[in-house]
Amino acid sequence: MSHDPIAESVQSLLSSRDPDAASILAAEAKRQETTLELIASENHVSAPVMHAMGTCLTNKYAEGYPGARYYGGCVHHDDAERLAQDRAKKLFGCKFANVQPHSGASANAAAFLALLSPGDTFASLVLADGGHLTHGLKVNMSGKWFNPVHYPLHYDESHPEFERIDYDEAERVCLEHRPKLIMCGYSAYPRVIDFERFRAIADKCDALLMADIAHIAGLVATGEHPSPFPHAHVVTTTTHKTLRGPRGGLILTNDEDLSKKLNRALFPGLQGGPLMHVILSKAVAFGEALKPAFKSYQKRTKANARALANALIERGYRITSGGTDNHLMLVDLRTRDAELTGADAETWLESAGIITNKNGIPQDPRPPRVTSGLRLGTPALTTRGLKEADMGVVAGFFDRVLASKGDAAECEKVRGEVAAMCEKFAMPG
Ligand code: DSN
């Protein structure tokens, strides 16, 4: 068990004032401590990042931006927001940062509001092959009010770039449809993104380039993935995945005019009062990310992902595109068992204390609620201190559960071994 005196005192405060809430909190803390978190978009924050959120900054309205608020009493909120902005700019090497988005989806919506008009065409990856719902899903605002066109991966197995972005085809699609905006950056893409190539495509069709680096932000911040700057006109991200900050979003640019448009789009265009307690926590997280230890954490995250992918390949699972360059991988379950679905695998693994999410693989014949794949990532396990050698053990648990087809006794046995392993790897302090 981790020892976090502040978390313990919150638990005890709730126990005396609101036992219903206390029991939910205690159960969730135990769930996180006793399971292996393999969801690629999740992480465990440090105690300073966690507890900066539980502070009196939540009491304040601070609509507007530093120095130009619509409420009195914002002097310390201005300081908090400027601290977060300055650290974000330093971290990503850019000139302008908006730290107010409540989420990555809000950051993307603000970018659309700033850069496009309803009905405008934009380009993004085929959504089922690694994209995100805010990149043009028909039921999302991005797909309802705008006109998405999509570029593909290489789908020919014999191609050396099989299941990687087909940049030539992306260029052809963009030249044909002349999008106003080209989006790159994905939710389930395990390979390096060539931002320079995308900018060349954008320049050829007079489009703006937007990079959504939500998944790889921590890698980018530490030079463990090439930066979208100076290529992208606008960069959006979440702050809670590899970046290991509080749940939230961030918008970055080097262009002053664009930064003004983006700021206006986010507030008052889209959001009201910023979550100032979360912004203070973002500042704390960005401060942590600027330290050398954060780079070594990102390196270990990548090394663990490679080790996990290799350990699964050894056990007969196909990893899409043959492996991973970043923190995540997509496992094609059909190569181990033709009948196995992502939905069943996710449920069985959860009963054994291994938390994953079902995810379509490129060209998946099964629907999104079923899928043929699982997406796995190593950011959270690496935060807990697991190393490359531990990935073989994790892959062993994974395979035992799936080979047993979710047999209750085997899942229970693995659950016990997982819990014993978790005891050796405390939550961050
Ligand atoms: N829902 C996130 C993920 O899991 O990748 C994307 O925002």
Side-chain angles (χ1 to χ4, degrees):
M1 295 281 279
S2 65
H3 177 66
D4 176 348
I6 300 174
E8 282 164 16
S9 84
V10 171
Q11 185 66 52
S12 128
L13 180 67
L14 284 177
S15 297
S16 64
R17 303 257 190 109
D18 188 337
D20 294 340
S23 70
I24 293 169
L25 178 62
E28 173 58 11
K30 184 170 178 210
R31 185 193 71 81
Q32 291 189 20
E33 279 174 10
T34 57
T35 56
L36 293 170
E37 180 52 73
L38 278 157
I39 293 179
S41 50
E42 296 188 10
N43 214 328
H44 303 294
V45 299
S46 70
V49 169
M50 177 85 75
H51 300 307
M53 279 182 282
T55 56
C56 62
L57 274 80
T58 196
N59 291 336
K60 189 82 196 83
Y61 257 119
E63 282 179 2
Y65 289 101
R69 305 283 189 186
Y70 289 84
Y71 291 80
C74 286
V75 56
H76 306 301
H77 297 264
D78 284 0
D79 289 344
E81 187 161 348
R82 286 198 181 104
L83 186 66
Q85 288 170 338
D86 289 347
R87 288 179 176 174
K89 288 185 273 182
K90 197 163 171 203
L91 199 51
F92 291 98
C94 64
K95 293 189 187 144
F96 303 96
N98 187 317
V99 297
Q100 291 193 8
H102 300 337
S103 66
S106 304
N108 286 349
F112 275 53
L113 192 58
L115 308 176
L116 300 176
S117 299
D120 277 350
T121 298
F122 71 94
S124 63
L125 177 66
V126 171
L127 295 184
D129 293 346
H132 186 251
L133 73 157
T134 58
H135 299 186
L137 193 70
K138 279 291 163 214
V139 293
N140 183 266
M141 184 266 288
S142 58
K144 270 189 150 159
W145 293 354
F146 303 94
N147 176 38
V149 294
H150 298 296
Y151 55 83
L153 303 176
H154 284 285
Y155 299 124
D156 174 1
E157 268 181 63
S158 63
H159 196 284
E161 299 278 294
F162 177 48
E163 294 176 331
R164 298 180 191 222
I165 294 163
D166 184 340
Y167 292 96
D168 290 341
E169 190 57 15
E171 180 168 324
R172 194 199 60 70
V173 168
C174 291
L175 285 172
E176 181 186 338
H177 294 281
R178 294 270 159 190
K180 209 163 160 186
L181 180 76
I182 299 174
M183 295 183 86
C184 58
Y186 317 101
S187 293
Y189 186 69
R191 296 301 184 174
V192 168
I193 301 163
D194 187 343
F195 295 118
E196 191 173 357
R197 179 79 202 270
F198 270 116
R199 175 57 184 263
I201 297 171
D203 285 348
K204 273 195 186 169
C205 52
D206 285 329
L208 291 171
L209 180 63
M210 173 172 159
D212 175 347
I213 60 166
H215 262 266
I216 55 172
L219 303 175
V220 167
T222 52
E224 293 298 316
H225 185 289
S227 174
F229 292 117
H231 313 297
H233 299 92
V234 176
V235 174
T236 58
T237 181
T238 56
T239 47
H240 50 271
K241 298 185 174 92
T242 50
L243 198 48
R244 209 165 63 184
R247 189 157 290 279
L250 178 65
I251 308 175
L252 307 163
T253 183
N254 272 327
D255 183 308
E256 188 167 5
D257 286 341
L258 281 182
S259 83
K260 288 180 184 154
K261 284 188 190 168
L262 290 159
N263 285 350
R264 279 197 300 272
L266 190 75
F267 173 83
L270 198 67
Q271 291 187 176
L275 307 176
M276 293 310 302
H277 55 307
V278 177
I279 288 174
L280 183 71
S281 177
K282 285 177 183 174
V284 175
F286 300 158
E288 288 180 357
L290 283 163
K291 296 196 174 123
F294 197 66
K295 183 171 173 70
S296 78
Y297 160 65
Q298 299 295 340
K299 276 183 184 294
R300 279 183 278 117
T301 298
K302 284 201 312 189
N304 280 346
R306 275 195 305 274
L308 182 59
N310 289 336
L312 291 170
I313 289 167
E314 276 169 22
R315 286 166 175 80
Y317 296 89
R318 188 179 83 83
I319 304 296
T320 70
S321 81
T324 175
D325 299 328
N326 59 25
H327 63 296
L328 68 78
M329 69 212 69
L330 281 176
V331 186
D332 181 351
L333 299 163
R334 298 167 306 179
T335 51
R336 186 73 172 80
D337 174 349
E339 301 304 313
L340 186 56
T341 68
D344 280 342
E346 179 191 301
T347 305
W348 297 343
L349 287 163
E350 182 166 355
S351 72
I354 300 167
I355 313 301
T356 64
N357 68 282
K358 58 183 166 294
N359 208 105
I361 56 167
Q363 303 274 277
D364 200 325
R366 291 173 173 149
R369 282 181 196 274
V370 182
T371 81
S372 304
L374 282 179
R375 185 186 63 167
L376 306 180
T378 52
L381 294 190
T382 309
T383 292
R384 287 187 82 161
L386 277 77
K387 303 232 161 40
E388 284 164 84
D390 302 309
M391 294 302 120
V393 179
V394 173
F397 291 152
F398 181 96
D399 191 39
R400 276 168 58 195
V401 171
L402 299 191
S404 80
K405 295 188 185 295
D407 173 74
E410 182 65 1
C411 288
E412 194 50 38
K413 202 160 162 236
V414 173
R415 179 82 185 81
E417 292 174 47
V418 163
M421 185 178 202
C422 287
E423 271 184 29
K424 291 192 256 159
F425 298 99
M427 288 291 175

